[in-house]
Amino acid sequence: MNIDVINLGPMGNCTYLLTEGSDAVLIDPAWDMNYLEHILSEKKLNLLAVFFTHGHFDHIKFSQDLLQKHHLQAFLEENDLVLSGLEPQFVHSYQGEQHLQIGPFKVHIIPTPGHTAGGVCLHIGNALFTGDTLFPGACGRVDLPSSNPRQMRQSLVKLSKLPEDTQIFAGHAYGGKCSSTIGYERLKNPFMRNAIRDEERL
């Protein structure tokens, strides 16, 4: 599986293009659909699915045009439907953990509420697409509508139990980087370390 990191928009967003042969999946496409269409066309890719890690506008903005053109419904956890502003016909909603086979892609959807009620991480191969749940050295904000600090701590603990070599790809390139590993974050990320420590005290 090949992973292209595409930085789009004024908020440092990371859109991810996953490809296996001519098959493709997009994660959190936002801001510039013309550019994404150009890439899909240039590489002669067949877009099989679109996934959103959560419903905030900066991860979804203008994506409805892409969905309409490709006759797709995006996968979005149902708790973030209202937050997303997407019209219902463009959304395939679901609840809780999911295991999906999308063409050659095995997708494990892991619920990770905290930043939003419907936040998820997408585990595909050895890659974990964390949206705004986990960043290199940080975690997502928990002071927004539908955020929950306790749920964020629980989500960070859940992610910490994944294999150490799991490669994470975050929703923003804060600090100039969007990727790390679970093992590194367990050791160096103060938010994950504190969440693990609090869990161990219970």
Side-chain angles (χ1 to χ4, degrees):
M1 180 178 71
N2 185 65
I3 301 171
D4 288 328
V5 184
I6 306 169
N7 298 110
L8 296 173
M11 301 175 72
N13 284 77
C14 297
T15 288
Y16 295 100
L17 174 65
L18 282 55
T19 55
E20 283 277 7
S22 62
D23 291 324
V25 163
L26 278 168
I27 298 173
D28 288 349
W31 296 103
D32 193 340
M33 296 306 109
N34 287 333
Y35 183 70
L36 293 176
E37 289 287 4
H38 170 74
I39 293 176
L40 292 170
S41 176
E42 184 179 54
K43 294 176 178 282
K44 297 182 171 61
L45 296 173
N46 176 32
L47 183 61
L48 300 180
V50 170
F51 291 89
F52 293 116
T53 58
H54 63 292
H56 280 154
F57 81 95
D58 57 312
H59 294 261
I60 288 177
K61 194 172 180 67
F62 302 130
S63 63
Q64 201 160 279
D65 296 339
L66 178 104
L67 296 169
Q68 186 170 26
K69 180 172 181 177
H70 291 269
H71 307 289
L72 292 173
Q73 289 183 313
F75 289 86
L76 177 67
E77 212 282 337
E78 67 176 28
N79 285 300
D80 275 11
L81 283 176
V82 174
L83 188 64
S84 74
L86 290 171
E87 296 176 24
Q89 65 266 34
F90 296 110
V91 181
H92 177 87
S93 65
Y94 60 89
Q95 185 175 41
E97 186 174 14
Q98 304 286 316
H99 291 271
L100 306 173
Q101 185 75 48
I102 307 291
F105 303 97
K106 291 183 178 180
V107 183
H108 178 198
I109 301 178
I110 305 171
T112 52
H115 181 63
T116 66
V120 302
C121 293
L122 305 168
H123 199 186
I124 308 173
N126 193 46
L128 183 73
F129 301 91
T130 58
D132 286 4
T133 298
L134 177 64
F135 301 109
C139 71
R141 291 176 59 177
V142 292
D143 59 341
L144 301 169
S146 92
S147 295
N148 185 302
R150 182 180 296 275
Q151 288 183 332
M152 176 62 82
R153 288 196 298 272
Q154 293 169 342
S155 292
L156 293 175
V157 169
K158 182 189 296 186
L159 296 181
S160 76
K161 296 177 180 178
L162 293 172
E164 290 189 353
D165 65 347
T166 302
Q167 192 81 23
I168 72 164
F169 294 91
H172 296 269
Y174 293 147
K177 60 184 291 190
C178 63
S179 64
S180 180
T181 65
I182 288 295
Y184 188 84
E185 296 307 305
R186 280 181 58 90
L187 290 174
K188 300 295 185 180
N189 186 315
F191 299 94
M192 181 173 276
R193 289 177 62 186
N194 287 340
I196 295 169
R197 181 199 62 201
D198 292 345
E199 179 80 2
E200 290 172 346
R201 286 178 176 175
L202 295 176

